[in-house]
Amino acid sequence: MKLGIKGWIATLATGLVLAACGGGGGGDSGVGSGGTGVAPNGFSSGTVTGFGSVIIDGVRFDDSSASIEVERNPASPTAGTSSDIKLGMKVETELNPDDTIKHLTVAPEVIGRISSLSGTGFVVAGQTVVISTDPATPTVFEGATGLADLAIGDIVEVHGARDASGAIVATRVERKDPTTSATLVRVVGIVTALDSTAKTFKIGTLTVDYGAATVLPATATLTEGQRVAVWSNVAVSDAGVLTAKAVRIKNPSIADGAKVRLGGLVADLGTTNVTFKLAGVSVDAKTATFEKGTVADLANGRAVRVEGTWTAGKVVASKVKFVRDEGDAEVSLTGAITDFVSVSSFKVRGVPVDASTATLSGGTVDNLANGVLVKIEGAYDAGVVKATSLTFSTTPDGGKRTFPGKVNSYNATTGNFRLSGFDMIFHVTDTTVYTNANGSAASVDDLANGKRILVRGSFSAGVLVVSEVKFVPDAGMGVRLEGLLYALDATAKSFELNAVVVTWNDATVFENGSASDLANGVKAEVTGTVSSGKVVATKIEIKRSDLPTIAEVRGVITDFVSATDFKVAGQKVTTTDTTVFKDGLVGALANGRIVEVHGTLNAGLLTATMVQFED
């Protein structure tokens, strides 16, 4: 099905379809347990497999009016933004009658410090984590390209599903900032060895002391076999004991008749192969239809996706789909490019992409730059999406668009020209603004065939009316990229970021810290130039992650009405008279611009204290 330009713009933040990064399985569903009450209309629990709006286990949901929270502490979830939803994460959603998301909760399976490593995974907070080798259900990494990058002592956030042995099969592993996450521990799992006198129980090999914990719901009683979420701000002791500060019993609370979608690993399969548990929820598949298999293929640990109706405390399944081949892991991504370094290194909605071997249509490598709208198909591999095809969107629409390339067919009389690679007409007017790459003023007299430029403008009658022309040197513009750094080598003064090698030197300027503050897992924004395939940093800003009252969102502006009413990557944003603007003025806010916004979040609205233009 072809996607019209309205579809492209509606998914500017990105439309990623990674049809199988694994299920949310084995773990809790948490239906109605995250503070949203009973789900009266519909519920979905599973793994984020894409964006634009948000895709959960291959099903697209509109999240434009959703409230978002991150449940690390189950007693006090933190308000979040769309930037907090990442590929491979486990989420729980309450749906409106029209299947749009009313409320979304990010629910990691375990957070803690790695205590041991093996060839297949690691142990964290007494939980065994297994890295998936199934091409249909790859493990997504951030702050690392794979298991080999991790080390004992690293602090990680893991999303995934429990297999038949109780191990977590990871759908996402994110290395956390060691300076700000050292005493954050979260574990979700089944209560065993409960001792109500000593006030202890176990999850895996972890002993939980809940004597001083807040147990939720307040009227509930802990029992053997319950699924719970445990949180503490005290590190696990050397004896393997966690002093819990909060324990939430994950009891499903869904209204009869509500639509339910669950993704995960089959558990507790009945002898007749028609009943099992998925994401901690009982499933009755007696009348279900099966895709990519039959009822005989059901087995504990098998990845499936279920659709059905909530009836008397269980899901009566109408469909069970097996996740079993590489076709389930295909990636389709639509959105505006950010963090552009080269054809082999850029991002769409925070997902690193390598398009060096892709087939390009509608444009050429010279037409790639931040802000350019593309559609990508490929597969996730070793920390990046390896694109097999990349298609440029040049279809007219009502929003402001960005196009780079070399000028040809320029007619100074009419003001019309073309850019190499694009089959469309560009038109400059008396109001077009001209600048050089360094921000200095240029003029229409500098416009000539062969010049490399970047233009911004809006379509009118199929022609892109150019509001801004920026002249770009043949060597390319400087780059700006952001992410969790890894492979730090302080001696060589280098690290990796988004699968790109970054180096620094004595001339590099550091903000919010110094070179000694760099560590694997630290979030950084790098500004620099490309040399011999590496980024030589002129500035490294260390992003502090220890300020929970400060929200951050980064992406493309859409739904722009005014400076007090627009969205960034789907998040509603407003500015005030005290908002600080960097690398641009308030008047430069417009659909299609890429910005990073910091501010305070209240009732789903991000009030910006700082807006930085990224393009």
Side-chain angles (χ1 to χ4, degrees):
M1 180 180 69
K2 291 186 177 180
L3 188 65
I5 191 63
K6 290 184 178 180
W8 283 84
I9 296 302
T11 58
L12 256 170
T14 184
L16 176 75
V17 180
L18 176 53
C21 274
D28 62 281
S29 72
V31 184
S33 65
T36 61
V38 175
N41 302 302
F43 176 80
S44 178
S45 173
T47 302
V48 174
T49 57
F51 303 95
S53 296
V54 63
I55 301 168
I56 303 172
D57 288 333
V59 179
R60 185 185 301 270
F61 295 94
D62 182 352
D63 65 342
S64 59
S65 60
S67 62
I68 298 167
E69 66 181 18
V70 181
E71 191 204 81
R72 294 187 174 94
N73 176 358
S76 182
T78 303
T81 72
S82 56
S83 289
D84 292 310
I85 309 170
K86 300 179 181 180
L87 192 66
M89 278 185 165
K90 181 178 177 181
V91 297
E92 304 157 358
T93 65
E94 180 184 344
L95 304 176
N96 292 309
D98 59 357
D99 267 1
T100 60
I101 296 177
K102 178 180 181 180
H103 184 85
L104 183 148
T105 301
V106 175
E109 194 78 0
V110 62
I111 303 173
R113 190 181 295 275
I114 293 175
S115 58
S116 66
L117 284 160
S118 70
T120 58
F122 52 87
V123 175
V124 54
Q127 313 305 302
T128 298
V129 177
V130 177
I131 304 305
S132 176
T133 58
D134 185 345
T137 59
T139 301
V140 176
F141 284 86
E142 185 174 359
T145 57
L147 180 60
D149 287 329
L150 300 177
I152 292 174
D154 281 346
I155 299 164
V156 291
E157 177 176 311
V158 180
H159 296 250
R162 300 271 181 172
D163 65 12
S165 71
I168 301 168
V169 181
T171 57
R172 177 180 176 85
V173 175
E174 179 179 331
R175 179 153 47 186
K176 308 296 288 184
D177 186 338
T179 63
T180 59
S181 307
T183 57
L184 169 62
V185 182
R186 170 186 166 94
V187 181
V188 177
I190 298 293
V191 172
T192 63
L194 176 65
D195 186 334
S196 56
T197 302
K199 301 293 185 182
T200 62
F201 61 85
K202 285 192 171 185
I203 300 178
T205 63
L206 177 71
T207 297
V208 177
D209 179 346
Y210 68 95
T214 300
V215 179
L216 300 168
T219 57
T221 301
L222 279 171
T223 60
E224 192 87 4
Q226 283 177 327
R227 183 164 294 278
V228 296
V230 178
W231 173 85
S232 181
N233 58 2
V234 178
V236 177
S237 73
D238 292 340
V241 178
L242 177 66
T243 301
K245 297 302 178 73
V247 177
R248 179 177 287 278
I249 301 169
K250 308 291 275 185
N251 290 327
S253 181
I254 310 175
D256 276 358
K259 292 181 290 185
V260 178
R261 295 182 178 91
L262 303 174
L265 302 181
V266 172
D268 297 335
L269 182 64
T271 57
T272 57
N273 272 23
V274 292
T275 61
F276 54 92
K277 285 189 176 180
L278 194 67
V281 176
S282 296
V283 177
D284 181 344
K286 286 194 295 288
T287 60
T289 59
F290 288 81
E291 287 187 20
K292 293 192 174 183
T294 68
V295 66
D297 295 313
L298 284 171
N300 286 327
R302 181 64 57 85
V304 297
R305 294 166 183 170
V306 168
E307 294 182 15
T309 303
W310 189 261
T311 305
K314 63 183 177 183
V315 176
V316 177
S318 57
K319 183 172 74 172
V320 176
K321 180 180 179 181
F322 292 90
V323 180
R324 60 191 313 159
D325 54 44
E326 292 186 25
D328 290 318
E330 286 183 351
V331 175
S332 177
L333 180 149
T334 301
I337 292 172
T338 65
D339 297 79
F340 182 78
V341 177
S342 67
V343 65
S344 62
S345 178
F346 57 90
K347 282 185 177 181
V348 177
R349 182 61 191 274
V351 180
V353 176
D354 178 353
S356 58
T357 60
T359 300
L360 275 59
S361 59
T364 70
V365 171
D366 283 342
N367 303 129
L368 294 171
N370 286 332
V372 175
L373 194 59
V374 296
K375 179 177 181 180
I376 290 169
E377 295 182 352
Y380 184 88
D381 179 40
V384 300
V385 171
K386 301 282 190 179
T388 55
S389 68
L390 184 154
T391 304
F392 292 86
S393 172
T394 57
T395 309
D397 66 272
K400 183 164 285 191
R401 296 284 297 280
T402 298
F403 294 96
K406 289 186 177 181
V407 177
N408 63 41
S409 305
Y410 174 54
N411 187 319
T413 302
T414 64
N416 291 343
F417 62 91
R418 293 181 180 270
L419 290 178
S420 58
F422 291 133
D423 186 18
M424 55 187 293
I425 297 174
F426 298 82
H427 178 71
V428 294
T429 70
D430 291 341
T431 60
T432 301
V433 176
Y434 301 86
T435 60
N436 294 308
N438 62 6
S440 61
S443 73
V444 66
D445 294 335
D446 298 310
L447 190 62
N449 288 331
K451 286 291 186 74
R452 185 186 297 275
I453 63 174
L454 184 147
V455 303
R456 294 189 182 94
S458 301
F459 283 100
S460 177
V463 174
L464 197 286
V465 180
V466 179
S467 58
E468 180 182 349
V469 172
K470 179 178 289 187
F471 292 93
V472 181
D474 285 336
M477 298 178 65
V479 298
R480 177 183 286 154
L481 58 158
E482 179 180 296
L484 303 182
L485 68 88
Y486 57 96
L488 175 66
D489 186 336
T491 302
K493 295 185 177 180
S494 70
F495 55 83
E496 291 191 36
L497 194 66
N498 305 340
V500 176
V501 175
V502 177
T503 65
W504 77 90
N505 52 46
D506 292 342
T508 303
V509 175
F510 283 83
E511 290 188 2
N512 295 334
S514 65
S516 62
D517 295 307
L518 297 175
N520 290 324
V522 166
K523 187 176 183 180
E525 181 178 283
V526 173
T527 303
T529 58
V530 179
S531 176
S532 301
K534 300 178 181 180
V535 173
V536 180
T538 55
K539 184 179 76 171
I540 298 176
E541 180 183 353
I542 297 173
K543 298 284 192 175
R544 295 183 63 189
S545 56
D546 58 345
L547 300 174
T549 59
I550 302 299
E552 177 182 319
V553 66
R554 183 169 184 256
V556 179
I557 295 176
T558 60
D559 301 288
F560 182 81
V561 178
S562 67
T564 60
D565 185 4
F566 60 95
K567 290 182 179 180
V568 176
Q571 171 63 46
K572 295 179 181 178
V573 178
T574 186
T575 64
T576 68
D577 291 341
T578 61
T579 300
V580 175
F581 289 85
K582 293 184 178 181
D583 300 329
L585 302 175
V586 62
L589 293 171
N591 285 332
R593 297 303 301 267
I594 299 172
V595 294
E596 179 178 304
V597 180
H598 292 222
T600 56
L601 189 64
N602 184 33
L605 180 66
L606 179 59
T607 301
T609 55
M610 186 274 288
V611 176
Q612 179 170 349
F613 289 86
E614 298 275 320
D615 59 349

